[in-house]
């Protein structure tokens, strides 16, 4: 009974979220799945690590596709950062390399914090 209510709540929060809120949800998900993949590699759970890394890659694909690079050089630079992270995620997944994940988690966290700050400023 409760899980069904939770699913309805979760679907509604996504369905009625603003574009900015959806962006924040995506980036927060990227942080979460990157950390899950890191722990899964440490636990030698290769399937879980693979699945989490694929989800993180998918999030960065979505971020790249949704980014309007015609609005300025900053958007082009951000696209390049997203592409770099995605490339490193693919490599980390192929090698199941904890060092690569340790390299990119701080980048993903920085992007998350940057978008949170931008959202706060935009709301004012």
């Amino acid at each position: 009974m409760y899980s069904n209510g939770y699913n309805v709540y979760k679907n509604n929060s996504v369905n009625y979220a603003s574009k900015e809120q959806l962006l924040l949800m995506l980036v927060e998900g990227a942080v979460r799945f990157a950390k899950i993949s890191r722990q899964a590699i440490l636990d030698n759970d290769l399937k879980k690590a693979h699945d989490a890394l694929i989800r993180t890659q998918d999030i960065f694909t979505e971020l790249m596709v949704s980014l309007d690079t015609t609005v300025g050089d900053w958007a082009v630079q951000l696209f390049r950062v997203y592409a770099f992270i995605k490339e490193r995620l693919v490599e980390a997944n192929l090698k199941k390399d904890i060092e690569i994940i340790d390299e990119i988690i701080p980048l993903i966290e920085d992007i998350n914090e940057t978008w949170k700050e931008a959202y706060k400023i935009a709301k004012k």
Side-chain angles (χ1 to χ4, degrees):
M1 177 172 86
Y2 293 110
S3 67
N4 188 33
Y6 173 73
N7 288 335
V8 169
Y9 167 78
K10 192 164 97 174
N11 285 336
N12 284 339
S13 67
V14 170
N15 290 334
Y16 296 106
S18 69
K19 182 179 172 184
E20 294 82 9
Q21 290 168 324
L22 288 173
L23 176 76
L24 290 176
M25 287 180 201
L26 278 173
V27 179
E28 287 170 359
V31 171
R32 186 173 68 251
F33 289 119
K35 288 180 177 182
I36 288 170
S37 70
R38 183 186 191 286
Q39 188 59 50
I41 290 172
L42 291 174
D43 296 341
N44 205 30
D45 187 343
L46 301 184
K47 175 160 179 18
K48 185 175 184 178
H50 171 78
D51 291 344
L53 285 165
I54 290 294
R55 290 191 76 172
T56 311
Q57 290 171 43
D58 289 346
I59 289 169
F60 276 92
T61 298
E62 185 61 33
L63 290 169
M64 291 167 70
V65 168
S66 65
L67 189 60
D68 182 1
T69 56
T70 65
V71 296
D73 191 49
W74 68 269
V76 173
Q77 295 300 324
L78 188 56
F79 184 91
R80 289 181 182 150
V81 171
Y82 290 167
F84 171 78
I85 290 170
K86 186 177 174 194
E87 181 182 305
R88 296 298 282 162
L89 287 165
V90 170
E91 187 175 352
N93 200 5
L94 289 172
K95 297 178 179 179
K96 301 300 185 270
D97 189 332
I98 199 79
E99 289 179 16
I100 296 172
I101 294 176
D102 285 345
E103 168 194 327
I104 59 174
I105 284 176
L107 295 174
I108 297 170
E109 290 173 330
D110 285 348
I111 290 169
N112 185 32
E113 289 305 313
T114 300
W115 280 119
K116 282 182 186 176
E117 283 300 312
Y119 179 71
K120 286 178 191 173
I121 291 168
K123 279 181 69 175
K124 291 182 180 179

